[in-house]
Amino acid sequence: MENSTKNVLIVGVGGQGAILASNILSEVAMASGFDVKKNEAHGQSQRGGTVPSHVRFGRRVYSPVIGIGEADVVLAFEELEGLRFSHFLRRDGRLILNRQRIYPARVTSGIDRYPEDVASMLREDGIEVVDVDALGVADRLGNPLVVSTVLLGVLSNYLDFSARRWKGVIRKVVPEKHRKINLDAFEAGRVLLRNG
Amino acid sequence: MRRIMLGNEAIARGAYEAGVRVAVGYPGTPSSEIMEFLGRFDEIYSEWSVNEKVAMDVAIGASLGGVRAIVVMKHAGLNVASDPFYPICFMGVNGGLVLVSSDDVGAVSSPTEQDTRIYARLFHIPMLEPSDSQEAKDFTALAYRVSERFDTPVFLRTTNGVSHSMGVVRLGKRRETRLPAFEKTSPKFRPQGGVHPTVMHENAHRRLKRLEAFANRTRINRIEWGDRRVGIVSSASPYQSVKEILPEASFLKLGFTYPLPEALIREFAAQVKELYVVEELEPFIEDQIKAMGLQVRGQDLRSHGGPLSKEALRDGLAEVLRKLGKKRVRPRASQPGAIARFPTLCAGCLHLAVYYAIRRLQRGMKDREIVIMGDIGCYSLGIAAPHNMLSCAFAMGSGIGAAHGFSRAINGDRNKAILAYIGDSTFLHAGMPALLDAVYNQSSITVVIADNRTTAMTGGQEHAGTGVTLKGERHPPVHIVEICKALGVEDVHEVDPYDFERTLEALRQAIEFDGVSVVIPIQACRMFPKKLKEKPYRVLSDLCTGCGQCLNLYCPAIIVSDEKTAKGRQKAAIDPFLCVGCSFCAQICPVDAITCE
């Protein structure tokens, strides 16, 4: 029973859109007939803190929380957060890493050093890392805020939901004036790896 | 219809479907969203009350008035509300009355971690504990039926694991119930003159007996038979975690957790080889089962602090897992390079400016030490490094009383200047009586009421000083400066904290004043209710001497640049995305190297 549940951990820094992305994924899973549970951090995480959002779906889901070593996919909006949550991955899990850095206060004030090359560090540990420059893609589309939809496009390649289902939910969730750019962002993310 | 709902939204929905007409509360993590969702229903009168005690009074009045009412708060708020709640628990209700209190397990945003389940026992009232969003909705509706049938307030208790989790919920229709008429001559709400308190106490115990019989037969307490070698009693979110780890065990799933269903527990215990309780925080269920004379394990296998994670459960139940033939997969280790990312005061936050001014003032008065009694709000982040500003923070509004007491304790010691630091919402919540107390009793303290025009810490809720209600209506706001004057404060300074010199001077004068003085720095929160951002400032690299003065502000927008001065000192830089253009850093730069031109 434990194994039939899919676990996607979406992590980022407050304001990056990780929560919205996890909402869209949850809706896609529910529309596909699954039971869905989700857990997220509220309160202080809004003030520059870490934002982990757990999404779980399957025939019947009990706990809303993904345990250490249970995530099928960790979708990291930021490098340091990818590093922080990498041990949540299953042995055969996959880390999607957005190559974007947001410096914590302890780095800007000189107490800590931001880690050098997160993707290589994790690969050396035997983790399958898919690294993408989603912010670059979002910038090219004309709005850096759609980075989260680009990342959902990348994620969609690793989950068994049709592109139609994803786009249907995006259409429903995103306000009309941002709809087209988000659909384009999703598509750009979806084909990002295919084009190298 | 099915929808994915936050536990807190599901509670609001449950109240709506149960025909609730009055909703009151005070914001506090993890309960705040319940009131925000309730505020969206036109059929429900809802308000942010000034504090939890007042919220409770309002809800009780609504119940006496014959409607179903809900009152919402966090664990610390229940301490505040307990004063009027205790008597009404003995007296009973008229319209259904449900108290929702959410425990911040893990103290994500609280000075304490507290298990309010023990209150159910103290109050002598039934307690329901949902374990996911669907139950959150269903149990809320059930709570009203229990309340009216047994003539009692009902306690609905949640934790972060339910409040801030989402799950699929099936929606129902709103049903307005026929409400009992309130008789103004009813003796039950009039102690001494009506029913005597000792009789009320007896009645409460008789009611508990009837509630226990109900607990034994309600469907929300149920046995799920599995392998009878292991029997697990659990409730709330710990049930979900243990059910997932050990689906093959036998379960007694409790939704109605006070009074406990003794007969059902005995029936379950008799048919399993070993009995375990899986619960978070205090051994609330476990102790009661032990008092029944049954052998049970639980407390010895877990810690009391923090949420019960699946990892902790697997460790605690390792022996059980082995017995049932379950193998443990060893997960990867966490990465040592993942440095911490603590929550911080936001760029341009008024507290950064006031804290900086206080530090600067301290540097200039070597003969006197400034001691600050803190309070509960965003500024509590100032307890931690690098700020190290506040010496304490324990309950809403308590900093002012503590400052007064501390000043009496050091009786006339002029080597110390005693400050209390409080926010606008907290001042209105419980700071006013404390300020009155300090003034009337001739204290000599300085109170800083940092007014950011919102209840920022919990997500920007409205309060009596904002001029906006929970429903979005505009009402005349109260003015904190006028309140202070009316309470008898003779030395009041209103300042713009972005004006460094004026703020510094106001603080200096206030500290020198013999008596109670108040400094009110007013500057709207940059985050709530809407994001405020002006043109960002930048560092003129040629002029920057790398003195580090601006870095001492600890504004997250000010960072160390890669560029160095001739003397090898690192220059400062400003992150244009984070900077909100408050100008404060430009005012404190000794060489005028910061500009927005």
Side-chain angles (χ1 to χ4, degrees):
Chain A
M1 192 179 285
E2 212 168 330
N3 294 333
S4 68
T5 300
K6 270 270 185 203
N7 298 318
V8 180
L9 182 64
I10 302 183
V11 299
V13 179
Q16 277 195 297
I19 300 271
L20 178 66
S22 67
N23 285 346
I24 290 173
L25 170 59
S26 302
E27 291 286 340
V28 168
M30 185 176 77
S32 308
F34 289 109
D35 186 19
V36 186
K37 277 194 178 148
K38 180 179 158 210
N39 178 270
E40 63 204 25
H42 283 228
Q44 292 197 342
S45 51
Q46 283 164 329
R47 285 158 191 81
T50 295
V51 178
S53 185
H54 303 232
V55 181
R56 313 189 67 218
F57 53 91
R59 199 175 57 78
R60 167 89 203 254
V61 182
Y62 286 101
S63 169
V65 179
I66 299 169
I68 291 169
E70 289 182 352
D72 296 278
V73 180
V74 170
L75 172 59
F77 277 47
E78 199 267 354
E79 290 190 24
L80 178 59
E81 298 314 311
L83 189 67
R84 188 185 321 284
F85 290 97
S86 58
H87 62 300
F88 276 75
L89 281 171
R90 293 158 56 100
R91 286 279 160 194
D92 55 352
R94 185 181 279 114
L95 183 102
I96 300 171
L97 183 70
N98 180 29
R99 301 217 73 154
Q100 186 181 341
R101 291 175 161 207
I102 298 172
Y103 296 113
R106 286 172 62 92
V107 169
T108 53
S109 59
I111 303 169
D112 289 327
R113 277 192 92 79
Y114 198 96
E116 278 303 321
D117 185 354
V118 169
S120 307
M121 268 170 85
L122 292 171
R123 284 195 184 107
E124 272 167 36
D125 258 32
I127 292 174
E128 191 185 334
V129 180
V130 179
D131 63 321
V132 292
D133 173 20
L135 190 59
V137 176
D139 276 337
R140 278 199 292 284
L141 287 167
N143 187 349
L145 294 178
V146 297
V147 66
S148 67
T149 322
V150 175
L151 287 168
L152 280 178
V154 177
L155 174 70
S156 72
N157 291 308
Y158 304 100
L159 299 173
D160 284 335
F161 303 121
S162 69
R164 243 186 89 190
R165 184 85 78 192
W166 281 98
K167 288 177 180 172
V169 172
I170 291 170
R171 250 180 232 115
K172 206 177 88 181
V173 172
V174 176
E176 170 133 35
K177 62 175 178 175
H178 302 300
R179 214 164 273 163
K180 187 178 178 311
I181 190 167
N182 274 285
L183 289 169
D184 291 347
F186 178 80
E187 196 52 44
R190 203 168 162 82
V191 302
L192 185 60
L193 303 170
R194 279 177 235 166
N195 298 345
Chain B
M1 201 172 102
R2 298 192 324 153
R3 263 181 57 199
I4 297 177
M5 275 188 177
L6 197 65
N8 280 346
E9 182 179 7
I11 290 171
R13 179 75 199 185
Y16 166 79
E17 291 180 9
V20 164
R21 297 262 289 278
V22 172
V24 278
Y26 187 83
T29 307
S31 72
S32 311
E33 299 84 1
I34 302 173
M35 287 302 299
E36 287 167 6
F37 284 113
L38 279 163
R40 295 181 192 174
F41 295 112
D42 292 339
E43 297 89 338
I44 302 176
Y45 168 79
S46 50
E47 70 169 40
W48 287 125
S49 300
V50 74
N51 67 29
E52 294 86 354
K53 179 210 178 289
V54 173
M56 183 62 79
D57 293 330
V58 175
I60 291 169
S63 165
L64 294 194
V67 303
R68 287 185 165 180
I70 191 166
V71 53
V72 182
M73 60 200 62
K74 73 180 290 181
H75 67 237
L78 183 50
N79 300 329
V80 181
S82 63
D83 198 1
F85 196 49
Y86 197 89
I88 208 68
C89 287
F90 276 29
M91 294 172 189
V93 299
N94 197 40
L97 177 62
V98 173
L99 156 79
V100 185
S101 172
S102 307
D103 288 359
D104 182 2
V105 177
V108 180
S109 189
S110 308
T112 53
E113 192 178 52
Q114 185 182 327
D115 191 334
T116 52
R117 293 181 299 171
I118 293 164
Y119 267 119
R121 222 175 152 171
L122 177 67
F123 292 147
H124 303 61
I125 57 164
M127 176 169 64
L128 275 60
E129 288 188 87
S131 66
D132 63 13
S133 295
Q134 179 70 54
E135 287 189 354
K137 195 202 79 160
D138 296 344
F139 286 16
T140 305
L142 174 65
Y144 285 96
R145 297 199 292 277
V146 172
S147 175
E148 285 167 5
R149 183 163 148 201
F150 293 92
D151 190 17
T152 176
V154 175
F155 183 8
L156 186 82
R157 183 244 189 190
T158 66
T159 59
N160 316 45
V162 172
S163 289
H164 287 168
S165 290
M166 287 182 161
V168 180
V169 176
R170 284 178 303 279
L171 303 189
K173 282 202 176 65
R174 176 170 169 93
R175 281 211 183 93
E176 298 247 3
T177 51
R178 268 173 53 138
L179 297 154
F182 171 59
E183 289 170 36
K184 69 176 186 176
T185 53
S186 168
K188 76 180 207 181
F189 302 112
R190 292 183 290 138
Q192 309 295 351
V195 181
H196 194 269
T198 56
V199 177
M200 288 177 184
H201 193 179
E202 282 304 331
N203 288 344
H205 279 269
R206 266 196 286 276
R207 188 178 66 195
L208 279 176
K209 280 282 164 217
R210 290 191 291 128
L211 283 162
E212 191 190 322
F214 178 80
N216 277 313
R217 59 173 196 272
T218 173
R219 278 193 312 180
I220 69 170
N221 289 335
R222 62 166 189 267
I223 294 174
E224 298 162 353
W225 288 119
D227 192 321
R228 299 198 184 203
R229 281 179 293 174
V230 178
I232 295 170
V233 182
S234 193
S235 67
S237 55
Y239 162 78
Q240 304 288 7
S241 308
V242 69
K243 183 76 180 177
E244 185 171 302
I245 289 167
L246 274 172
E248 47 285 271
S250 288
F251 282 86
L252 172 54
K253 199 281 188 189
L254 298 176
F256 196 103
T257 48
Y258 194 78
L260 284 179
E262 183 167 346
L264 191 64
I265 290 170
R266 287 188 184 282
E267 178 195 333
F268 183 68
Q271 296 190 56
V272 295
K273 196 152 168 251
E274 280 175 326
L275 190 65
Y276 293 86
V277 170
V278 174
E279 62 188 320
E280 241 163 21
L281 305 181
E282 304 297 331
F284 176 75
I285 297 173
E286 184 180 344
D287 284 353
Q288 292 182 76
I289 292 180
K290 280 181 177 159
M292 294 173 196
L294 296 169
Q295 279 231 320
V296 62
R297 291 192 69 189
Q299 189 187 350
D300 57 326
L301 304 172
R302 66 179 178 91
S303 62
H304 294 96
L308 195 57
S309 67
K310 283 196 240 177
E311 294 75 44
L313 260 174
R314 287 197 184 97
D315 287 340
L317 297 174
E319 204 181 300
V320 183
L321 289 163
R322 246 195 326 274
K323 259 184 225 161
L324 294 183
K326 300 204 82 163
K327 278 215 187 82
R328 262 191 93 169
V329 186
R330 197 148 289 283
R332 301 167 206 278
S334 59
Q335 290 282 341
I339 51 175
R341 191 189 293 276
F342 294 112
T344 51
L345 290 168
C346 310
C349 171
L350 92 164
H351 301 308
L352 288 171
V354 181
Y355 283 168
Y356 181 86
I358 293 173
R359 275 196 302 275
R360 184 67 86 84
L361 196 60
Q362 174 70 84
R363 231 188 306 162
M365 41 190 276
K366 290 203 167 58
D367 56 327
R368 270 184 106 182
E369 185 194 14
I370 299 175
V371 179
I372 307 177
M373 300 293 163
D375 224 288
I376 311 296
C378 289
Y379 41 89
S380 309
L381 294 167
I383 291 173
H387 304 285
N388 299 314
M389 289 300 288
L390 309 178
S391 297
C392 71
F394 47 93
M396 299 275 285
S398 291
I400 298 173
H404 170 42
F406 192 89
S407 76
R408 286 292 175 209
I410 61 166
N411 199 16
D413 177 359
R414 292 289 300 167
N415 294 323
K416 284 190 167 60
I418 315 300
L419 258 65
Y421 197 105
I422 190 170
D424 46 340
S425 188
T426 313
F427 176 72
L428 298 172
H429 176 282
M432 290 190 288
L435 184 59
L436 174 64
D437 184 79
V439 171
Y440 184 71
N441 290 301
Q442 307 285 302
S443 195
S444 185
I445 58 172
T446 296
V447 179
V448 178
I449 306 173
D451 184 354
N452 62 6
R453 317 300 302 139
T454 187
T455 317
M457 191 58 159
T458 44
Q461 290 82 8
E462 307 79 8
H463 62 66
T466 64
V468 183
T469 69
L470 173 62
K471 285 284 195 185
E473 293 158 358
R474 301 203 162 264
H475 296 174
V478 301
H479 295 284
I480 291 175
V481 65
E482 299 303 328
I483 291 174
C484 294
K485 286 178 188 163
L487 292 173
V489 182
E490 285 167 21
D491 190 56
V492 186
H493 308 257
E494 244 184 329
V495 290
D496 174 359
Y498 288 171
D499 183 339
F500 173 58
E501 288 301 335
R502 294 277 293 278
T503 304
L504 195 64
E505 190 47 36
L507 283 166
R508 194 194 320 273
Q509 283 177 19
I511 285 173
E512 278 165 14
F513 183 80
D514 188 21
V516 177
S517 55
V518 172
V519 179
I520 309 175
I522 305 177
Q523 194 51 255
C525 171
R526 301 291 104 178
M527 299 289 289
F528 306 112
K530 59 172 190 228
K531 289 198 174 157
L532 299 175
K533 187 167 164 64
E534 281 162 51
K535 202 174 163 214
Y537 279 68
R538 62 195 170 85
V539 177
L540 300 171
S541 190
D542 299 351
L543 298 180
C544 179
T545 61
C547 72
Q549 195 69 259
C550 57
L551 289 167
N552 287 337
L553 186 54
Y554 308 124
C555 175
I558 305 175
I559 53 183
V560 180
S561 119
D562 295 332
E563 219 178 304
K564 286 187 177 159
T565 63
K567 287 183 184 164
R569 290 203 289 205
Q570 277 184 306
K571 294 183 180 183
I574 291 174
D575 182 333
F577 291 103
L578 288 179
C579 178
V580 296
C582 79
S583 85
F584 196 87
C585 57
Q587 294 176 53
I588 62 170
C589 175
V591 293
D592 292 329
I594 301 177
T595 178
C596 80
E597 248 89 89

